Structures are given as C-alpha cells and as structure tokens.
Amino acid sequence: MNREVVSYLEKVEAGHRPTREEALLLADEIDIPRLMATAAFLRDQGHRNIITFSKKVFIPLTHLCRDVCHYCTFAQPPKKGEQVFMTPEQVLDIARQGAAMGCKEALFTLGDKPELRYKAAREALAALGHETTLSYLAAMAKLVHEETGLFPHLNPGLMSDEDLAILRPLAPSMGIMLESTAISLLEKGKAHHGSPDKDPAVRLEGLRRAGRAQVPFTSGILIGIGETRAERIESLLALRDIHDEFGNLQEVIIQNFRAKPGTRMSDAPEPDLDELLWTLAITRIVFGPEMNIQVPPNLSPGQLQPLVAAGINDWGGVSPLTPDFVNPEAPWPHLDKLATETAATGKLLIERLTIYPEYALQPERWLDPAMRTSVIQAIDSEGYPRTEEWSPGEDTPPPEADLKLLAAHMPARVDPWLKSILDRAVKGERLDETEVSRLFLARGDEFTAVCRTADQLRQKMNGDTVTYVVNRNINYTNVCYFKCQFCAFSKGKLTENLRGKPYVLGMDEIQRRTQEAWSRGATEVCMQGGIHPSYTGQTYIDITRAVKEAVPGMHVHAFSPLEVWQGAETLGISLKEFLSRLKDAGLGTLPGTAGEVLDDEVRRVLCPDKINTAQWFEVMETAHSLGIRTTSTIMYGHIDGPINWARHLLGLRDLQARTGGFTEFVPLPFVHMEAPIYLKGRARKGPTFREAVLMHAVARLTLHPHITNIQTSWVKMGPEGVKACLNAGVNDMGGTLMNETITRAAGASHGQEMEPYRMEDIIRGNARLPRQRSTPYGDVPDERVRVSFQAAPLEDLRFTAAKEYERS
C-alpha cells in the first residue's frame, strides 16, 4: 500500500469523509487487510459491539416479472395450469406461522409489474379483484399487518410517486436493489440485457422518489455480474449522493453473485471471498461509521468471521420458517448458530425490525400515521424490537436471558471505552452526557459488567443491609386540572381519562387513615394528590397540621414540587416562605416526584402545562436550603431515551453536590396500560426489563458518591424484578405502601401493600440483611418494628365523591 493511500485511510479513521476522487483511488488497492482494519474501526465507532438481523418470513407474492436478468432464478414465466399469485389464504398462513415463531417482518418479494408482459398475470389479478400487482400487494400487506402484527417490507421493483403514496401507510420500509450503475450491463450478452427496469438512470430516479416520499429504503449492489471495481465504487457513490439529499437510505446491501443452473450466467465466475471483503471494506469507508451495511450470511457459509472483520453491522433478514426464494440453493443459518458465530467475532447479535432503529425513533418524519403506533409500541428506547412479554406493573416473569446475565461473573472482555467509564464512575468522577448514555446502551456482557460494577459499588457504600420504611400513601384527591399525558390517576372535567370516580378526602378521613397507619406500625405518611382547582397553599398547610394533630410522631413526607410551586403561587408568596410555613406546620420531607424526566425536550410533550425542569430544581434547592430533605425520582420508558436519562441524572448529581439534600434516588418505570399517551398510540410499553435494571445500576454509578441510596419500586418492578435490582446496585426497597393507588390506576397488578415480613423474605432471599428505617434513613424504635409485624387488616377506605367533577 503506497503512502498516499495509507495517509488517506488515516484521515478517514480521524473522521474525514472521502471525496469521489479519493474513493476512486481505492479501486486498484490490493491490501485488503488494511482496508478491512479501517472499515472495522469505523463500524465500531457507529455500531459498538452490535450486529443486527431481522427475524422474518419470506412471502413470494408472485414469481412473474417483466425483466429477464440473466442470473436470476426467482423470476419465472407462467406455466399452464400453475398458480401465478399466492392467494390471501396462503399469504396469511405463512404470516401466521412466522408470527407464532417470533418473526417481526413479512418480506414481500415479487417481480416488477408482470401484468405489463403476461396475460396470465392480468387474468390472475382480475380474478383476485385487482388491476395491478401493486394494488394486490397493498391489499396483502394490509391484511398481514392487521391479522398478524408482522411489519411488511416491500420489494416491488420500480414505483411511481402514486405507488409510494399508496404503499407508505402499509409498510414501515421498502427497498429496491440498485445492483449497479454500470450502463454496459444493459448491452447484449450482459447481465441486464432485456431488463428495462435495470437501467441505472431509471433505478436511481426510483430511489429519489422514495427519498422525496420519506420512505425508509433499502438498496445495495450486486457484485460479480460483469462490473469493474471502479464501477462498484461509482455505484456506492451514487447511493451516497441520494442519501445525502434525502437521508432515507437505511441500509446498503452488498450481495455476491451466485451462479445458478438454468440461467445464461450459470457458468460465469463467482466473486471470491477477497472480492467480497474488498467491496465490504470499501463500502464502509465510502459511507462512514453510521450507515447500516448488510451482507447475506447464507451466501457465504463458513465465512462469517471475516465478513464481520470487513466492517458490516447487519446480516439482513433471516427466516426460521421460509427459504431464501431468491437464492434457494443457500439455506439460512440457524439463528443459534448465527448468534454463536457472531459472538466468536466479539460481537453481540441483536434483533431489529424491518425499519432500522434510527428511523423508528423519528416516527413523525419517517412513518405514515397509520404505521406509527404499531412501531412505537413494538420498540425499546433505542428503536430495537421488544422481544419480551414483561412490562412494568404487569404480573409477568422477567426474561430469563437477562436474569442469566445478571447472575453471570464479570466478563473478561469489556469494550475499552466502557471500561474506562466504569472505572471513572467508581472513583466518583463526574461523567458527561455521552458517557452516561453509553452505560444505558449496555447489552450482553456489557450489561453484566455495568450491573456487576454497580453492585460492587453498592456493597462498598452500603454493605449488605437493605432498608425499607413502613408507610401509608394518602392521596387526598384525584381531581386535577393538569393534563399530564402519562397519568391515569387524576380525574376531573379537564382530564382525559376518567377511570374511576373523582373524590376528595375530608380532614377527618385523612386523620383516620393516619391514626390507622400508626396503629399498624407506620412511621411515615406519604401524601400526594391531584392539583384540585380549589386548593391553595393553605390547603396543604392544613393537611399537614391535621396529620400532626392526629399523630404527632408521624413523619409527614408530602407534596411534590408541583404542589409546592402551585401552593406558593396561589398564596402569592415566595417558595422559601411557603416551604417555611409547611415546615412550621410539621412537614418532614418532600417526595421528589412530578419530575418525570428532567429534560424539557421530553416535558414539552409529556406534561406541557406542568412545571419545567428549572422550576423543579428551584423548588428542591429552596427546600434543601431550609433543611428540608427530599427524595429524587425519574419516571421513564415512554417517549424518552438514554440521552434524556443522562441529563436527568446529571442534573440531580450537580444539585446534590451543592446541597446534599437528596436522601435517595427512586427509578419509577412507566406503567403504560391505562396511560393516556399510550392509549393514544404515542408511547412505548414502558422500559424493557434490561432498561429498567440498568436505570438502577447506571444511577448508582452516575450519582456516586453524592447520592448513596438507590431504591427500587416493588409496585412497578414486581417481586422478581426487585430481586434483580438488588443485584444491580440497589440498597433500598422503599415503603410498604398501605393503599398504593396511583400505579394501580395506571393498570399495574402489584400494589396495595407489601407487609414487612414479605419485604424481609425478599431481602433475605437475596442473602442480604433487612432493616426498617425512618424516612430520612435513620433507625426506628423497636416498638414500631414490633407493631408493624402485628398489623391488623386495613379497614375499608372512605371517600367523599367530588360530584361536580363527574361526567355522565
């Protein structure tokens, strides 16, 4: 390799994007290992340790095609007496079998407009009630998605603007292979002779149409069909130009020609492995770190490790059910074998949807409204598919694969950057947003490493003691004039979800519940409610006094920053003055709720009329300045993601470094079932189990050494989830929660109360030592502990209906 090329590759590794002239310099480069090294370096920058695939079924709607490519066995002329289109019943049968096997994609393959060439196609379509192949394709895509939930990926050949407009609401992605821009391939005796749809100019215009229509699109090149290396680079540059203009090229496929019996090119030489590796490396160099570059694994059996080394990050669609109808001689690798061979390269095999994550996470731009909800509710925070049944609040076991990773030993091999982040976190250094986000992306062995490190840090800071508090929730009203999109608890004329009846509690009922809680061993009442239109700051002062009059020894943990802000505003006094009055009335600590995600990018959608991030922090800092300690929380897993979580955690850390006022951090995973934003189709199904566990572990690492207590919510995580979190940095199980109502209103199965003996069974079952604590993490008298283990059943709750806020 000459010095000029070496210098050029070094520039590429430093972030330089090759120009057309520079890319063409590589046409004669023969040092393939050096090219592969650069390509692998770039791939790792953009895709970390992940190689993706789509679990699919192959639906060959018809084998008829008006083109006659001389290497193709998929396209066949009609034969007398043979069916030329799959029937709806046949299509659905394949789709249902695939869905039962966990497939997410239905790949529709078909020839290009066969009705323009064959009478048999026209007659068959007419019998099916359609004039065109694309009309029938639209009907079948709609049928499959509605009946099975599979996401159609459409490869129908060239499409007009009208075709794209019809198909876009029915499929999240489509594709067409460019194959080559070499015009010489159209000449007589060449691969594309007699195939009008393979004209490069026509093909490229089809790709531009998809770009203008904002359809996430797949394309690529077919190598070894008579083109030169320089022509391959020209083809890649043409694809790059289109992507630069429209941004919709979600992947580039490099497919190696395979000679097939019965075709005119049956004796043509196939490209060897070096030719494929050279092309893959050049593709990565031309496109850079971010592009998804795919190679079909079934066309290079036994050679998967060098393919990964050449810079790919995707294996394409792999079916556990149907063969590759385009290359029927090449069976798909078994998914377990594919995962094993991928792991042997140091990479982790991850399933994706037919639409790639970066496009799934921008549904307003890249998805038709008809497709948005089903995609949003199928993905996790990174845009990968949810592959588990577990959701927060549901009575479903956690995924076994994640539990095994949690139980595993610290892996020997960890990404150097991730290891450096973990080392700095353990030292108590402040991480930046990018570093915290990177921790949230951990999968496979990296997930084990993050959780193990967090738990080691927990043991160092807290020992093996796990604490909990005996408390009662008193939600004094569910009437609220705010319209938070995640809330299924609040009721009233201005709310959107009226599950249950609106109520207010009188002071006598608040006092009765307080006294009953004390008689059952509670040391705390946790008080929050809706923001009732008639409530002022004086209401909250009166509620606090009522509790202290009923039981002077009860700790009052009450009023979110939203209630504090509204209370001060309604009295026309400063936050400091209002908080001082609450403290004088008997307020002990503030709950750190109403924070949801402390990033206004999220809050503008999730809770637009609520206090903003700066106001939430202002309430907390003011409280801390008065000696009022508070908890801190995050409610996550809806429309947010790792960067938002990072900003939230770092904001908490920075305030704690100044004030020291937070007692703990409490992750609250989004419970989706009855949440308005989920019912409107705009939110995910809460975090995945991996994400939920990681929130606890990453919080431990990010907040160290300033916030030392990390709590898990048994109401959201369930008993088995709690056990997992106790092995990922958690040292506190929160409250026993007599009368938990807010999470259950959202649809959770867990709730009401976890008695002390059940708390302690879980803790001891994790080989840890239980300890009852006070709200600010002090000791509680032995008398309180004894009473809590002898508690009588709770009496029935008493409510006063707020009839003026009911709807007929």
Side-chain angles (χ1 to χ4, degrees):
M1 181 174 285
N2 64 49
R3 284 186 180 178
E4 182 182 11
V5 174
V6 171
S7 175
Y8 159 58
L9 292 179
E10 289 173 350
K11 284 171 58 182
V12 168
E13 290 173 5
H16 173 71
R17 187 178 191 244
T19 64
R20 179 178 181 279
E21 292 73 21
E22 290 170 333
L24 287 169
L25 275 178
L26 299 176
D28 297 323
E29 183 51 56
I30 59 173
D31 190 345
I32 296 175
R34 182 65 181 86
L35 294 173
M36 290 171 63
T38 296
F41 176 83
L42 294 175
R43 185 269 321 285
D44 290 349
Q45 283 187 322
H47 300 277
R48 311 189 312 275
N49 67 327
I50 288 175
I51 304 291
T52 53
F53 78 102
S54 176
K55 197 172 183 181
K56 71 177 182 184
V57 289
F58 215 127
I59 301 178
L61 199 62
T62 179
H63 286 270
L64 300 183
C65 182
R66 70 169 176 168
D67 295 317
V68 288
C69 303
H70 301 309
Y71 46 78
C72 179
T73 57
F74 177 80
Q76 298 287 335
K79 295 178 182 177
K80 189 174 181 179
E82 286 191 0
Q83 178 182 317
V84 295
F85 281 90
M86 293 179 71
T87 65
E89 293 75 20
Q90 290 170 327
V91 169
L92 264 185
D93 182 57
I94 290 177
R96 284 174 174 147
Q97 289 183 62
M101 298 177 77
C103 295
K104 310 288 190 303
E105 174 186 347
L107 172 62
F108 283 88
T109 55
L110 54 153
D112 207 312
K113 298 179 178 62
E115 67 274 16
L116 299 181
R117 179 170 183 170
Y118 297 114
K119 179 182 178 182
R122 295 190 292 272
E123 291 175 345
L125 287 168
L128 291 164
H130 294 270
E131 290 187 7
T132 68
T133 300
L134 290 185
S135 170
Y136 185 50
L137 171 65
M140 292 303 96
K142 186 173 188 289
L143 180 69
V144 163
H145 183 61
E146 289 179 349
E147 293 293 324
T148 71
L150 295 183
F151 292 105
H153 177 78
L154 310 180
N155 284 335
L158 292 174
M159 290 174 279
S160 66
D161 292 338
E162 182 182 2
D163 294 332
L164 287 161
I166 291 170
L167 294 174
R168 188 174 188 262
L170 305 172
S173 63
M174 304 181 211
I176 186 171
M177 288 289 282
L178 172 61
E179 296 193 4
S180 179
T181 56
I183 197 72
S184 61
L185 296 179
L186 294 170
E187 297 171 1
K188 189 172 183 179
K190 298 294 183 68
H192 290 156
H193 180 65
S195 301
D197 299 310
K198 295 301 174 75
D199 183 324
V202 174
R203 215 89 172 150
L204 290 169
E205 181 54 30
L207 288 165
R208 291 188 191 95
R209 284 196 190 100
R212 287 191 291 269
Q214 294 190 309
V215 175
F217 224 63
T218 291
S219 193
I221 63 173
L222 179 61
I223 71 169
I225 56 173
E227 81 292 349
T228 66
R229 282 185 169 184
E231 286 170 332
R232 273 181 228 160
I233 294 174
E234 292 279 13
S235 299
L236 294 171
L237 290 168
L239 289 173
R240 191 177 77 173
D241 288 343
I242 289 172
H243 187 61
D244 286 348
E245 185 175 0
F246 301 106
N248 72 314
L249 192 61
Q250 65 168 4
E251 68 180 333
V252 175
I253 302 173
I254 306 301
Q255 185 171 331
N256 45 315
F257 161 72
R258 295 285 295 266
K260 296 176 176 61
T263 66
R264 292 188 183 180
M265 295 180 65
S266 60
D267 295 326
E270 296 180 349
D272 62 15
L273 179 62
D274 280 348
E275 201 66 24
L276 179 57
L277 296 176
W278 180 92
T279 308
L280 290 170
I282 294 295
T283 305
R284 176 61 70 191
I285 291 167
V286 166
F287 278 95
E290 301 301 328
M291 179 54 72
N292 297 297
I293 296 175
Q294 178 197 127
V295 65
N298 59 318
L299 300 187
S300 303
Q303 304 291 345
L304 301 193
Q305 291 193 37
L307 299 182
V308 172
I312 66 131
N313 68 287
D314 187 77
W315 294 125
V318 178
S319 179
L321 177 65
T322 51
D324 179 353
F325 287 96
V326 176
N327 299 283
E329 78 286 355
W332 302 114
H334 193 281
L335 286 174
D336 287 343
K337 182 180 180 183
L338 187 62
T340 299
E341 292 197 36
T342 302
T345 71
K347 304 298 179 187
L348 179 68
L349 187 67
I350 293 291
E351 188 178 348
R352 62 165 171 84
L353 296 180
T354 177
I355 180 173
Y356 274 81
E358 52 267 43
Y359 294 87
L361 291 175
Q362 299 181 68
E364 298 294 326
R365 178 180 181 187
W366 293 114
L367 288 169
D368 186 89
M371 268 288 144
R372 284 177 196 159
T373 294
S374 53
V375 170
I376 289 169
Q377 295 181 352
I379 61 174
D380 65 14
S381 65
E382 284 188 81
Y384 292 110
R386 300 178 70 95
T387 56
E388 62 195 52
E389 294 298 320
W390 186 90
S391 280
E394 292 187 339
D395 193 15
T396 305
E400 283 295 327
D402 289 339
L403 295 179
K404 286 179 181 177
L405 288 169
L406 274 169
H409 296 293
M410 178 69 82
R413 181 169 57 184
V414 178
D415 173 73
W417 185 36
L418 182 68
K419 186 177 187 309
S420 72
I421 295 171
L422 293 174
D423 289 345
R424 290 184 54 231
V426 169
K427 293 175 184 174
E429 297 180 21
R430 187 187 189 278
L431 307 177
D432 63 27
E433 287 181 7
T434 303
E435 292 169 322
V436 177
S437 298
R438 177 67 180 87
L439 294 176
F440 280 118
L441 303 181
R443 294 174 184 264
D445 284 351
E446 291 186 352
F447 174 68
T448 302
V450 170
C451 294
R452 277 268 174 243
T453 304
D455 207 48
Q456 290 166 4
L457 188 55
R458 179 273 311 162
Q459 209 284 331
K460 176 183 175 183
M461 300 301 294
N462 307 91
D464 288 326
T465 298
V466 177
T467 52
Y468 69 97
V469 62
V470 179
N471 66 348
R472 181 172 203 163
N473 274 22
I474 301 179
N475 304 120
Y476 38 80
T477 183
N478 63 354
V479 176
C480 187
Y481 65 83
F482 285 86
K483 299 187 288 294
C484 300
Q485 293 297 299
F486 58 85
C487 183
F489 169 74
S490 65
K491 310 291 181 281
K493 290 178 179 176
L494 297 178
T495 59
E496 299 169 79
N497 188 317
L498 292 177
R499 185 173 183 257
K501 291 187 177 295
Y503 70 83
V504 292
L505 299 185
M507 293 299 173
D508 57 340
E509 176 61 11
I510 290 174
Q511 290 185 320
R512 187 197 69 78
R513 294 189 190 189
T514 301
Q515 290 165 339
E516 184 183 30
W518 184 261
S519 73
R520 301 180 80 249
T523 57
E524 170 200 306
V525 286
C526 177
M527 309 190 67
Q528 296 176 93
I531 309 298
H532 194 292
S534 68
Y535 282 13
T536 69
Q538 189 60 46
T539 309
Y540 304 129
I541 293 169
D542 292 344
I543 288 172
T544 306
R545 284 181 178 150
V547 171
K548 297 301 282 186
E549 286 172 3
V551 181
M554 185 70 82
H555 182 98
V556 181
H557 181 61
F559 315 124
S560 74
L562 175 61
E563 290 158 299
V564 172
W565 188 275
Q566 184 256 4
E569 197 171 57
T570 55
L571 294 179
I573 59 179
S574 68
L575 288 172
K576 186 172 184 179
E577 174 62 21
F578 180 54
L579 283 164
S580 296
R581 293 186 190 181
L582 284 171
K583 185 177 181 182
D584 291 343
L587 178 71
T589 52
L590 291 182
T593 49
E596 288 71 61
V597 176
L598 293 169
D599 183 348
D600 288 333
E601 177 183 291
V602 174
R603 298 181 74 79
R604 279 191 290 270
V605 177
L606 194 66
C607 46
D609 56 347
K610 213 167 189 176
I611 55 174
N612 62 31
T613 298
Q615 291 166 334
W616 190 93
F617 277 113
E618 184 180 350
V619 171
M620 290 311 208
E621 188 154 14
T622 304
H624 295 175
S625 73
L626 294 170
I628 301 173
R629 301 198 72 188
T630 74
T631 64
S632 59
T633 67
I634 186 172
M635 196 274 291
Y636 63 102
H638 30 76
I639 60 171
D640 48 352
I643 188 65
N644 312 113
W645 305 338
R647 292 167 185 161
H648 183 110
L649 290 176
L650 291 170
L652 295 178
R653 178 194 168 97
D654 292 344
L655 179 58
Q656 182 75 342
R658 294 197 303 273
T659 69
F662 290 125
T663 56
E664 67 206 69
F665 175 71
V666 189
L668 302 171
F670 173 58
V671 176
H672 72 280
M673 288 77 82
E674 298 291 338
I677 195 169
Y678 176 79
L679 296 175
K680 292 175 181 178
R682 295 166 54 204
R684 303 191 302 276
K685 295 181 178 179
T688 63
F689 186 74
R690 178 189 63 87
E691 291 167 338
V693 173
L694 273 176
M695 180 59 75
H696 297 78
V698 175
R700 169 65 68 181
L701 295 163
T702 304
L703 299 173
H704 176 68
H706 301 292
I707 298 178
T708 57
N709 297 305
I710 306 298
Q711 183 185 122
T712 189
S713 168
W714 60 266
V715 178
K716 310 281 198 297
M717 295 297 298
E720 294 306 311
V722 165
K723 293 175 185 177
C725 291
L726 287 174
N727 291 322
V730 164
N731 70 292
D732 186 78
M733 280 185 61
T736 56
L737 298 180
M738 307 172 202
N739 306 134
E740 196 290 322
T741 56
I742 293 176
T743 302
R744 285 184 296 134
S749 301
H750 315 295
Q752 183 58 24
E753 181 177 24
M754 182 175 282
E755 300 89 339
Y757 76 88
R758 291 173 61 206
M759 284 273 194
E760 298 201 358
D761 282 349
I762 291 174
I763 293 166
R764 289 193 176 94
N766 268 50
R768 307 275 277 282
L769 303 173
R771 179 176 75 87
Q772 275 191 31
R773 62 164 173 87
S774 66
T775 305
Y777 284 78
D779 293 325
V780 298
D782 291 342
E783 174 270 338
R784 292 281 81 203
V785 176
R786 285 196 302 274
V787 171
S788 72
F789 278 90
Q790 299 166 0
L794 282 164
E795 294 183 20
D796 291 340
L797 296 176
R798 304 165 195 172
F799 295 97
T800 303
K803 293 185 179 297
E804 68 273 28
Y805 293 98
E806 290 184 355
R807 283 179 174 172
S808 59

